[in-house]
Amino acid sequence: MISKQLATHIVEQTMNRLHRNINVMHTDGFILASGDQKRIDHIHEGAKYVAQTGEVLRITPANEHIYAYAKEGINLPIFYNDQVVCVVGITGVADELEEVATLVQLTTEMMVHQAFLTEQSAWHEKMHQLTLEQLLAGQYDSKQLQKRFDKLHIEQQAPYCVVKMRAMEKGAAYQTFIRFLDDLLPRNIVYGSIEKHSYICITCGYKKERVLEILRQMQPMLNRYFQLRIGVSQTVETLDALPYAADTATIALEYGDPANMLNVFEDVEIYSLFKAPQSPEMARYVRRTIGELSDKLIETLEVFLKHDLQLIKTAEVLHVHRHTLKYRLDRIKEKTHLDPTIFKDALCLQIAVWFR
């Protein structure tokens, strides 16, 4: 059944266009809203009849005495999902209202339908949000959680994966990011917001390859409306491991290549070995290792490491001769006492480059 707030909105919007008195009644005949304030909170017997039968009732001087607290006019059933959810009454001479009655009924049903959809959507989002928060906190009752999953039509099955997103609107997006996700995501995904511009999805029953496929399919639409970066976690087999998975999604987002919209934990897993990359110890290590290198030598080192220590490929990317590249690598070795062409030394240099 509709709320008093919605009934008041219907009366206001309809009377602005119709310029006739409108009443909106509960299915028990209770007048929720009216252009005539004195009629509110009374029982309209005609509305009770309409709600029970689903039929239009015309009140005339001939039958007005039959229906307590009724006035001459037309009373119309308002349907939602084939059920009468309220009754709308238009005060006036019934014969003169025939032309507008159908329009009023149609307009009211559209308003009710939209209000119910909005309410349902809000409930849906709230249920997702609450479920997400409890899963990430590792604080939930298993039976209650299963009931919530059932209501959301989500199958509770492994593997589980956490996807963390940071999304900034490009101008005025056509809807909020949460509504955007609700439209695009397939089944078996819990989603919600964790802070401003940050969102999390928990996928249930999808292997990592399928999760990445879903995100890549969404990418064109996402890029259209949002500036977006995504971190994808390591998959886990139990709900209790989701807080850990969320941490790995954060690592993927924080340390992934800024040029890539989509970053996966496995690509930056080594960073998880460094608990405090911004620590004084790490800063000293960076300064001691590559602090003497010029910007040009650091750029050369980054490209060389990125292309797996391949001389030819690095020279092509930098647009330099192999002899020039060899000279620069020798300079790096001279200044750092680490040979970038040797794996063990290259790893030490890579760590310094990552955290500089």
Side-chain angles (χ1 to χ4, degrees):
M1 304 305 116
I2 72 169
S3 66
K4 196 161 188 173
Q5 182 180 10
L6 176 56
T8 301
H9 179 67
I10 292 171
V11 168
E12 291 174 351
Q13 293 300 312
T14 306
M15 288 186 63
N16 283 340
R17 294 164 175 78
L18 193 61
H19 304 298
R20 290 180 181 273
N21 184 59
I22 299 292
N23 306 303
V24 176
M25 287 81 76
H26 193 279
T27 51
D28 62 5
F30 187 82
I31 300 178
L32 296 169
S34 173
D36 182 355
Q37 297 295 310
K38 295 178 181 179
R39 303 192 69 187
I40 295 175
D41 295 341
H42 289 81
I43 298 295
H44 190 299
E45 293 296 335
K48 290 175 64 175
Y49 172 84
V50 172
Q52 292 168 0
T53 63
E55 299 175 355
V56 175
L57 175 64
R58 293 165 179 80
I59 304 292
T60 66
N63 65 357
E64 187 174 350
H65 65 283
I66 299 176
Y67 305 101
Y69 219 79
K71 289 187 177 182
E72 187 175 5
I74 296 182
N75 296 278
L76 310 156
I78 303 302
F79 292 92
Y80 179 78
N81 286 344
D82 298 324
Q83 288 189 333
V84 178
V85 294
C86 68
V87 177
V88 170
I90 312 173
T91 304
V93 179
D95 291 342
E96 297 177 357
L97 298 175
E98 293 292 343
E99 292 185 5
V100 299
T102 302
L103 180 60
V104 169
Q105 186 177 36
L106 178 61
T107 302
T108 304
E109 287 185 345
M110 290 176 61
M111 294 172 67
V112 168
H113 183 77
Q114 183 60 47
F116 280 6
L117 286 180
T118 300
E119 182 179 341
Q120 185 178 22
S121 178
W123 175 89
H124 190 75
E125 290 176 16
K126 185 176 181 180
M127 189 69 69
H128 271 275
Q129 181 70 33
L130 181 60
T131 304
L132 178 80
E133 291 173 356
Q134 291 182 347
L135 287 172
L136 293 181
Q139 299 174 350
Y140 56 85
D141 177 86
S142 297
K143 291 183 178 179
Q144 185 183 54
L145 181 67
Q146 185 59 59
K147 290 180 180 179
R148 198 171 293 142
F149 269 53
D150 291 341
K151 290 181 179 179
L152 293 172
H153 305 292
I154 294 175
E155 295 179 19
Q156 185 179 319
Q157 57 183 359
Y160 303 100
C161 184
V162 176
V163 178
K164 188 171 183 179
M165 304 178 178
R166 285 184 183 159
M168 299 287 290
E169 291 183 1
K170 292 180 178 178
Y174 76 95
Q175 54 188 336
T176 67
F177 192 75
I178 287 293
R179 298 285 175 85
F180 189 92
L181 288 178
D182 190 46
D183 288 344
L184 291 183
L185 290 173
R187 295 177 62 250
N188 290 350
I189 298 180
V190 181
Y191 58 83
S193 174
I194 51 174
E195 56 190 30
K196 188 175 182 181
H197 304 309
S198 292
Y199 307 87
I200 281 186
C201 300
I202 298 176
T203 68
C204 306
Y206 293 114
K207 293 182 178 179
K208 175 68 76 65
E209 294 75 15
R210 177 56 181 149
V211 174
L212 295 176
E213 181 184 351
I214 291 169
L215 293 171
R216 291 189 182 106
Q217 289 173 349
M218 294 168 58
Q219 186 169 347
M221 186 66 75
L222 291 169
N223 284 339
R224 181 178 179 183
Y225 291 100
F226 301 94
Q227 294 176 340
L228 185 71
R229 291 197 68 238
I230 302 174
V232 182
S233 78
Q234 189 175 42
T235 55
V236 295
E237 294 299 318
T238 66
L239 293 177
D240 290 340
L242 281 173
Y244 161 75
D247 289 340
T248 65
T250 300
I251 291 171
L253 187 62
E254 293 292 338
Y255 296 110
D257 188 343
N260 296 335
M261 185 188 84
L262 185 60
N263 293 279
V264 180
F265 170 72
E266 284 77 5
D267 293 340
V268 294
E269 186 172 6
I270 191 171
Y271 287 113
S272 65
L273 304 177
F274 300 92
K275 301 300 184 182
Q278 304 301 323
S279 66
E281 292 79 11
M282 181 60 75
R284 283 195 293 269
Y285 175 81
V286 172
R287 287 196 301 271
R288 186 178 72 250
T289 306
I290 61 173
E292 297 298 319
L293 298 183
S294 65
D295 290 343
K296 181 177 289 186
L297 289 180
I298 287 179
E299 179 191 14
T300 299
L301 181 59
E302 286 179 328
V303 175
F304 185 60
L305 294 170
K306 183 176 181 179
H307 292 90
D308 303 320
L309 316 186
Q310 297 180 53
L311 290 169
I312 295 177
K313 182 63 177 177
T314 302
E316 289 177 355
V317 172
L318 291 173
H319 304 294
V320 298
H321 193 276
R322 286 183 62 189
H323 293 314
T324 302
L325 175 59
K326 183 67 169 61
Y327 170 76
R328 292 183 185 177
L329 294 175
D330 287 342
R331 290 285 292 161
I332 292 171
K333 179 180 177 181
E334 177 186 332
K335 287 181 173 292
T336 65
H337 306 291
L338 295 168
D339 187 345
T341 64
I342 297 175
F343 174 76
K344 184 177 72 170
D345 288 356
L347 178 59
C348 295
L349 290 166
Q350 179 70 86
I351 292 171
V353 168
W354 276 335
F355 293 101
R356 73 186 180 94

